[in-house]
Amino acid sequence: MRDKSTIWDSPTSFGSVSRAFHWVMALMLFWQFASVILRAVAKDTAVYKLFWSAHFQLGFAILVLAILRSIWGFANLSRRPQLEGVTGMLATLVHLLIYGLMLAVPFVALLRNYANDRGFSFLGIQIFGQTGMKNSELALVGNWHGFMGWVLLVLVVGHVAMALIHHFVLRDNTLRYMAGPRQAV
Ligand code: HEM
């Protein structure tokens, strides 16, 4: 019997799970980038304190979501819309970099916490505790956290800009993949 599910991706449209991952991640990254932009330009304000207060917890949630999203992406690799040509290769490269940084940026921050003997809890659940030892060499990887975070912001802005240019300027209806009607497979 043919499966008429819209959960999975199809060559003409992303399914409901990929879309949920995409738009929830977009909202979380929006908040996360607001927190670091405000940290750079308005550090003494109440709005900065509000956004920054979620930076660590949201950062960890982004890491978990990025892991789940990567697994789901692999499971759907052969079904999802295929990007073709040189621009397609470029887009694939940018998407891979975004995935890599969504994993690496929070990971190095957590590694820095671990190396600095700080421990980390998510919503009251201990992810790792204090070890009683500091590793200053390992902690140095944390120096990459901010830089890689800014690179991620640039790539995400580029990704959004290219999607909008394709849809509204080149008029190739690109947004249908992530926001149009879903195709049953
Ligand atoms: C995808 C998730 C994350 C993104 C995109 C992100 C992004 C950034 C960026 C761009 C900065 C630099 C701000 C500046 O230049 O002032 C920063 C700083 C910081 N982040 Fe994150 N972050 C994430 C997750 C985390 C997590 C999980 C933690 C904690 C475990 C964390 C802890 C920090 C700390 C302590 C700073 C200030 C020190 C520094 O610049 O390295 N971040 N973050």
Side-chain angles (χ1 to χ4, degrees):
M1 198 178 77
R2 205 175 136 79
D3 176 19
K4 284 282 182 190
S5 166
T6 53
I7 289 174
W8 296 94
D9 297 345
S10 83
T12 50
S13 131
F14 286 100
S16 44
V17 175
S18 292
R19 287 179 187 214
F21 274 134
H22 180 267
W23 293 114
V24 170
M25 185 65 99
L27 274 178
M28 289 165 95
L29 285 176
F30 177 82
W31 184 287
Q32 197 72 338
F33 288 134
S35 81
V36 292
I37 291 168
L38 287 165
R39 185 177 168 82
V41 300
K43 211 171 172 180
D44 291 328
T45 60
V47 67
Y48 157 70
K49 285 183 185 123
L50 171 72
F51 275 86
W52 185 259
S53 66
H55 187 86
F56 302 166
Q57 298 292 296
L58 194 58
F60 182 80
I62 289 172
L63 174 62
V64 173
L65 204 69
I67 293 169
L68 296 176
R69 211 180 154 188
S70 304
I71 295 169
W72 184 253
F74 271 118
N76 278 270
L77 212 53
S78 59
R79 307 167 195 258
R80 47 178 50 183
Q82 302 296 319
L83 297 163
E84 282 155 9
V86 179
T87 48
M89 274 168 62
L90 203 65
T92 304
L93 183 70
V94 170
H95 292 163
L96 283 174
L97 275 172
I98 289 177
Y99 266 90
L101 287 172
M102 284 189 307
L103 296 165
V105 171
F107 180 75
V108 295
L110 290 167
L111 205 58
R112 175 173 56 190
N113 264 33
Y114 178 80
N116 282 332
D117 192 24
R118 274 200 231 119
F120 187 84
S121 296
F122 178 66
L123 303 178
I125 303 162
Q126 189 178 71
I127 306 302
F128 53 86
Q130 289 178 286
T131 56
M133 283 184 302
K134 286 198 180 197
N135 185 333
S136 49
E137 277 171 29
L138 189 60
L140 288 177
V141 295
N143 292 347
W144 286 89
H145 175 71
F147 173 71
M148 291 196 301
W150 290 119
V151 173
L152 178 59
L153 172 61
V154 171
L155 291 175
V156 169
V157 169
H159 164 76
V160 173
M162 286 315 292
L164 294 177
I165 288 171
H166 268 276
H167 192 82
F168 293 108
V169 181
L170 304 176
R171 295 183 180 279
D172 61 3
N173 204 11
T174 285
L175 296 187
R176 74 186 182 284
Y177 292 123
M178 211 37 107
R182 277 163 307 178
Q183 306 289 318
V185 287

